[in-house]
């Protein structure tokens, strides 16, 4: 596979960065003494460290690849995701909508917050659906990251599994030992390198390919739809509405984002973290979208890979000179390491804090609790490695990511809003919302994999399926809550918190 990657120069840049990240991450482990330190960095994260960590966490190779695929297929309309993300994130940060009461509650996870409103069983059920959606969402991270490196570095594709395993081991090592403290510190380093790499590579691409050629490539392929998602044949109003709902739910409930809110020194710091980081989400979308469009302009028909997901990394391997490729690979590894470490920690925290609570009941000593969390990180890593090896991706990467996220973000965002702002919300509504909110995305993913039903899944489409999930979740919350209110009466409903053990 043709590439300008030099193992002497570029390999040295990448190797030095990985070594520094490991050393710094491992040195932090001595400051971990309890579960709060391990999962939330002692709730002492300041504004600028939080901003860097939040930005680094939410941009990895998976994000870059999915956005570039959108750019390759739909032109600049593919950046709709980032624009909507930035707008909603700024509004949430400015108003404190949901994140202020969540941080002020002093909880470790969102399901723990739900216990105060809906009871222990809802806490457990929401924890299960969060972990299900989160693990399925992260399941393709390793393979996608491995494919990016294979194309850019020029490795033989047969080494993909080895590359995936190496990525996981590197990330898991300092995450297992240092927890959130290691993640925050390494995220700051990774954010700086990632930013420098993205800006530098973008400048080189525009200089070599030409801004006019990039725009012409987008217009030639998509016409007016290259700039307007509403008239793009592959997108339309359904895509815009679905994306708006998805990013809104993600901003409120995505565990890796919420972990930064809960780790912040105060709710004011958490709000500022959101407002000031929001602009980054435009950049994180537009930059890879431009890379994806540039692939159309650079690659000849014979050079185009069969999977459009791999067009962008193949273009980078062609355009970038030796030395710059090393900086790019180090930057993308930095982005991926920060994302993977936060996700490993995020899902393990929910498993420990909200699912295994029926076993430990918050009675374990701190050393045992930290050990269990470390073992959970290892177990999740092994699952992700195995899942990434066999799951066949049937749709756009971004569609898969949002649908799997929707499995939990739809119902959990509904529960969160209701818990914060609707007095009549109760556990009947919560159960109904969790079940109905998860049915549509899970059913669509299953139908998509079966030969006998794939045509039906394509007819419905992922956007309508996702929009329906939000509607069903709110129908479940409102209908279930009002039904209990009617059946049980005021006295029973006002005391919705369930008594006793789970």
């Amino acid at each position: 596979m043709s590439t300008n990657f030099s193992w002497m120069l570029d390999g040295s840049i990448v190797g030095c960065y990985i070594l520094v990240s490991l050393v710094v991450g491992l040195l932090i482990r001595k400051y971990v003494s309890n579960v709060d330190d391990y999962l939330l960095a002692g709730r002492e994260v300041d504004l600028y460290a939080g901003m860097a960590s939040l930005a680094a966490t939410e941009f990895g190779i998976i994000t870059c690849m999915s956005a570039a695929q959108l750019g390759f297929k739909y032109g600049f309309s593919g950046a709709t995701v980032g624009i909507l993300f930035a707008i909603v994130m700024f509004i949430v940060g400015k108003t404190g909508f949901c994140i202020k009461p969540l941080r002020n509650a002093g909880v470790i996870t969102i399901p723990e917050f739900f216990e105060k409103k809906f009871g222990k069983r809802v806490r457990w059920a929401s924890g299960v659906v969060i972990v299900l959606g989160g693990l399925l969402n992260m399941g393709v991270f390793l393979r996608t990251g491995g494919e990016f490196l294979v194309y850019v570095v020029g490795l033989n594709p047969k080494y993909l599994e080895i590359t995936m395993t190496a990525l996981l081991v590197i990330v898991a090592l300092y995450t297992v030992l240092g927890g959130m403290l290691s993640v925050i510190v390494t995220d700051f380093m990774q954010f700086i390198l990632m930013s420098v790499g993205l800006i530098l590579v973008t400048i080189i691409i525009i200089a070599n390919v030409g801004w006019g050629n990039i725009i012409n490539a987008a217009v030639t392929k998509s016409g007016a739809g290259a700039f307007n998602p509403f008239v793009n044949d592959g997108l339309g109003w359904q895509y815009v509405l679905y994306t708006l709902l998805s990013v809104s739910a993600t901003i409120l409930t995505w565990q890796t984002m919420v972990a930064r809110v809960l780790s912040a020194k105060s709710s004011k710091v958490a709000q500022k973290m959101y407002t000031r980081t929001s602009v980054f989400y435009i950049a994180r979308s537009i930059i890879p979208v431009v890379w994806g469009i540039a692939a159309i302009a650079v690659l000849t028909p014979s050079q185009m890979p069969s999977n459009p997901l791999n067009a962008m990394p193949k273009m980078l391997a062609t355009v970038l000179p030796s030395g710059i490729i090393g900086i790019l690979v180090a930057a993308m590894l930095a982005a991926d390491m920060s994302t993977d470490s936060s996700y490993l920690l995020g899902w393990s925290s929910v498993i420990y804090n909200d699912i295994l609570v029926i076993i430990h009941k918050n009675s374990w000593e701190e050393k045992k609790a930290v050990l269990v969390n470390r073992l959970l990180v290892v177990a999740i890593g092994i699952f992700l490695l195995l899942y990434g090896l066999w799951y066949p991706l049937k749709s756009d990467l971004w569609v898969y990511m949002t649908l799997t996220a929707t499995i939990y973000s739809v119902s959990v965002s509904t529960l969160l809003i209701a818990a914060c702002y609707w007095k009549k919300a109760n556990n009947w509504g919560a159960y109904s919302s969790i079940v109905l909110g998860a049915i549509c995305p899970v059913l669509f993913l299953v139908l998509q994999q079966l030969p006998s039903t794939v045509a039906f899944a394509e007819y419905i489409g992922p956007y309508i399926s996702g929009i329906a999930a939000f509607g069903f979740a709110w129908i479940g919350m409102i209908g279930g809550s009002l039904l209990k209110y009617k059946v049980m009466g005021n006295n029973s409903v006002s005391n919705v918190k369930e008594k006793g053990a789970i």
Side-chain angles (χ1 to χ4, degrees):
M1 191 177 298
S2 177
T3 177
N4 295 322
F5 187 89
S6 165
W7 284 101
M8 181 67 70
L9 177 59
D10 300 305
S12 298
I13 294 173
V14 174
C16 287
Y17 170 72
I18 292 175
L19 180 61
V20 171
S21 292
L22 280 175
V23 171
V24 172
L26 294 177
L27 287 176
I28 302 299
R29 72 185 189 279
K30 64 182 179 181
Y31 298 104
V32 176
S33 60
N34 55 50
V35 173
D36 259 16
D37 289 341
Y38 191 80
L39 297 180
L40 296 175
R43 302 184 195 271
E44 289 296 326
V45 176
D46 63 22
L47 176 60
Y48 297 106
M51 288 171 59
S53 179
L54 183 58
T57 294
E58 294 307 315
F59 185 89
I61 292 178
I62 187 83
T63 311
C64 186
M65 292 278 275
S66 64
Q69 185 182 30
L70 291 176
F72 182 87
K73 296 183 69 173
Y74 310 118
F76 291 97
S77 292
T80 303
V81 177
I83 295 171
L84 292 176
F85 217 114
I87 293 171
V88 175
M89 192 171 183
F90 181 84
I91 294 173
V92 170
K94 199 68 175 176
T95 61
F97 183 70
C98 287
I99 66 171
K100 183 176 181 179
L102 187 61
R103 173 60 186 89
N104 289 340
V107 295
I108 294 178
T109 59
I110 290 180
E112 183 180 347
F113 179 75
F114 291 158
E115 181 180 351
K116 299 179 180 182
K117 177 72 173 179
F118 302 118
K120 293 181 179 180
R121 292 186 178 88
V122 171
R123 173 183 178 179
W124 187 86
S126 60
V128 170
V129 77
I130 283 176
V131 171
L132 174 63
L135 291 182
L136 290 176
N137 180 270
M138 194 182 175
V140 295
F141 280 25
L142 290 173
R143 174 169 288 276
T144 305
E147 288 180 350
F148 176 88
L149 295 176
V150 164
Y151 272 89
V152 173
V153 175
L155 291 175
N156 190 313
K158 70 180 182 180
Y159 296 123
L160 175 61
E161 286 75 17
I162 298 175
T163 306
M164 292 168 59
T165 304
L167 283 173
L168 179 64
V169 171
I170 291 168
V171 173
L173 188 57
Y174 69 76
T175 306
V176 166
L177 295 176
M180 182 62 82
L181 286 170
S182 287
V183 170
I184 292 292
V185 173
T186 52
D187 275 359
F188 193 83
M189 296 168 43
Q190 289 153 359
F191 173 73
I192 295 173
L193 180 59
M194 176 186 71
S195 300
V196 171
L198 291 178
I199 293 171
L200 181 61
V201 169
T202 303
I203 292 173
I204 292 173
I205 290 174
I206 293 175
N208 288 347
V209 180
W211 185 244
N213 290 332
I214 292 174
I215 293 178
N216 288 337
V219 173
T220 300
K221 184 164 187 176
S222 303
F227 301 95
N228 185 350
F230 290 99
V231 299
N232 193 299
D233 292 338
L235 301 177
W237 69 265
Q238 301 99 323
Y239 168 80
V240 177
L241 177 57
Y242 169 61
T243 302
L244 176 62
L245 293 172
S246 297
V247 300
S248 299
T250 298
I251 287 166
L252 293 178
T253 64
W254 199 240
Q255 179 59 30
T256 51
M257 298 187 71
V258 170
R260 271 68 190 166
V261 171
L262 300 177
S263 301
K265 287 185 174 181
S266 66
S267 58
K268 288 185 177 180
V269 171
Q271 288 181 240
K272 289 181 179 178
M273 197 186 301
Y274 264 40
T275 54
R276 297 188 186 183
T277 311
S278 60
V279 67
F280 169 79
Y281 286 81
I282 299 178
R284 83 156 192 171
S285 182
I286 289 180
I287 286 177
V289 161
V290 169
W291 293 5
I293 300 172
I296 304 173
V298 171
L299 301 178
T300 64
S302 62
Q303 292 175 317
M304 286 290 182
S306 57
N307 186 350
L309 186 65
N310 297 320
M312 180 270 288
K314 191 167 185 178
M315 178 275 298
L316 293 176
T318 304
V319 172
L320 300 181
S322 180
I324 299 299
I325 286 189
I327 295 175
L328 168 69
V329 172
M332 296 307 291
L333 278 176
D336 215 46
M337 290 167 70
S338 62
T339 299
D340 290 348
S341 59
S342 296
Y343 277 54
L344 287 170
L345 199 62
W347 311 135
S348 70
S349 67
V350 175
I351 294 174
Y352 172 80
N353 194 59
D354 305 305
I355 297 178
L356 294 184
V357 68
I358 61 176
I359 298 174
H360 62 72
K361 298 179 181 178
N362 296 318
S363 62
W364 289 350
E365 60 181 18
E366 295 293 349
K367 287 185 178 180
K368 182 177 181 180
V370 171
L371 174 62
V372 170
N373 275 279
R374 285 172 170 159
L375 293 175
L376 286 172
V377 171
V378 173
I380 291 172
I382 294 172
F383 164 80
L384 295 174
L385 186 63
L386 297 175
Y387 183 86
L389 287 173
W390 66 265
Y391 183 82
L393 197 62
K394 296 289 187 179
S395 58
D396 286 351
L397 183 57
W398 173 254
V399 171
Y400 173 84
M401 291 169 62
T402 54
L403 275 176
T404 49
T406 298
I407 291 174
Y408 97 68
S409 64
V410 167
S411 58
V412 174
S413 62
T414 302
L415 266 65
L416 180 61
I417 295 171
C420 291
Y421 304 109
W422 191 34
K423 292 182 179 180
K424 290 185 178 181
N426 55 58
N427 59 329
W428 283 22
Y431 290 133
S432 302
S433 183
I434 290 172
V435 173
L436 293 179
I439 283 177
C440 285
V442 170
L443 185 59
F444 181 83
L445 289 172
V446 172
L447 293 177
Q448 203 178 40
Q449 297 296 328
L450 301 176
S452 59
T453 57
V454 65
F456 180 65
E458 290 177 355
Y459 175 76
I460 297 174
Y463 310 140
I464 295 299
S465 174
I467 294 170
F470 282 92
F472 282 131
W474 273 106
I475 289 173
M477 171 56 72
I478 296 172
S481 295
L482 293 181
L483 179 62
K484 182 174 183 179
Y485 191 84
K486 182 177 180 179
V487 172
M488 305 296 289
N490 290 346
N491 293 333
S492 297
V493 175
S494 63
N495 186 22
V496 297
K497 187 173 181 179
E498 299 169 22
K499 305 297 183 181
I502 295 177

